[in-house]
Amino acid sequence: MISARSIFNDKNANRKIGAAGVMRVKGELLARGWEVAEPDVDCGVDLLAWDSRRIARIQVKSSVRFYEKTHSSCFACSRLRPEAGKRSSYSPGDVDFVVCVCLPTGGFWIVPACDVSGKVKIHPTKTSNYHQAWELMSGVHRKKYLVTPSSRKEP
């Protein structure tokens, strides 16, 4: 297992790991033909991806841990809510997808927000339905999970 400290030996290791994950996801989305923007301020999402008809709000979760025995990685799918003073999970009202990226393997898991709602951590494997499942963001599945620019109605 690779640790954060072995890659980034400083107090900002977690921030650097997160930034590296966002860059990997951004690059992958661009290579797949999406338009991508990164908000300048922390508005609760890491990336916005769109085509001519739809916008996806994406939260990126990054890990430098890959467990060979189980072929899995571990991602924290919660955030600190300062107003509540505690951690909470993401919901479909906050984001459309949580994209998890394992930096050592380059694996991606594309998880609809409704499937991480209420969870603090997820442990996806390479055999998971979400592994490299970019099709969830396109075609039939996009209509279910994405909002249109003219409408902010939740699914």
Side-chain angles (χ1 to χ4, degrees):
M1 179 175 68
I2 300 172
S3 72
R5 296 286 176 206
S6 67
I7 294 178
F8 305 108
N9 193 16
D10 64 40
K11 64 181 181 177
N12 291 313
N14 289 337
R15 285 192 177 118
K16 290 178 180 179
I17 291 166
V22 169
M23 288 181 212
R24 292 286 307 273
V25 172
K26 191 175 184 180
E28 186 70 21
L29 287 166
L30 289 168
R32 291 174 176 274
W34 288 81
E35 301 293 334
V36 183
E38 195 171 345
D40 289 334
V41 296
D42 186 358
C43 61
V45 298
D46 291 322
L47 296 172
L48 297 170
W50 69 93
D51 65 7
S52 61
R53 299 175 306 151
R54 292 176 172 68
I55 298 172
R57 300 166 297 165
I58 299 169
Q59 181 64 39
V60 176
K61 295 299 177 179
S62 310
S63 179
V64 293
R65 295 186 176 122
F66 180 74
Y67 304 99
E68 290 289 338
K69 186 176 181 179
T70 59
H71 295 283
S72 68
S73 199
C74 179
F75 301 93
C77 289
S78 64
R79 62 182 167 179
L80 183 62
R81 296 262 187 178
E83 67 277 5
K86 61 181 182 177
R87 299 196 77 73
S88 66
S89 64
Y90 292 96
S91 72
D94 302 321
V95 297
D96 300 305
F97 292 93
V98 174
V99 177
C100 302
V101 58
C102 179
L103 296 175
T105 66
F108 294 97
W109 289 269
I110 296 74
V111 186
C114 58
D115 291 351
V116 297
S117 183
K119 296 179 179 156
V120 176
K121 287 187 180 181
I122 59 172
H123 301 270
T125 66
K126 284 189 172 182
T127 58
S128 163
N129 290 336
Y130 303 120
H131 188 247
Q132 307 291 38
W134 293 102
E135 69 276 4
L136 290 175
M137 291 182 59
S138 62
V140 171
H141 298 286
R142 288 180 69 190
K143 292 178 186 172
K144 181 176 179 183
Y145 296 113
L146 301 185
V147 295
T148 60
S150 61
S151 170
R152 298 286 298 169
K153 293 179 183 174
E154 296 303 322

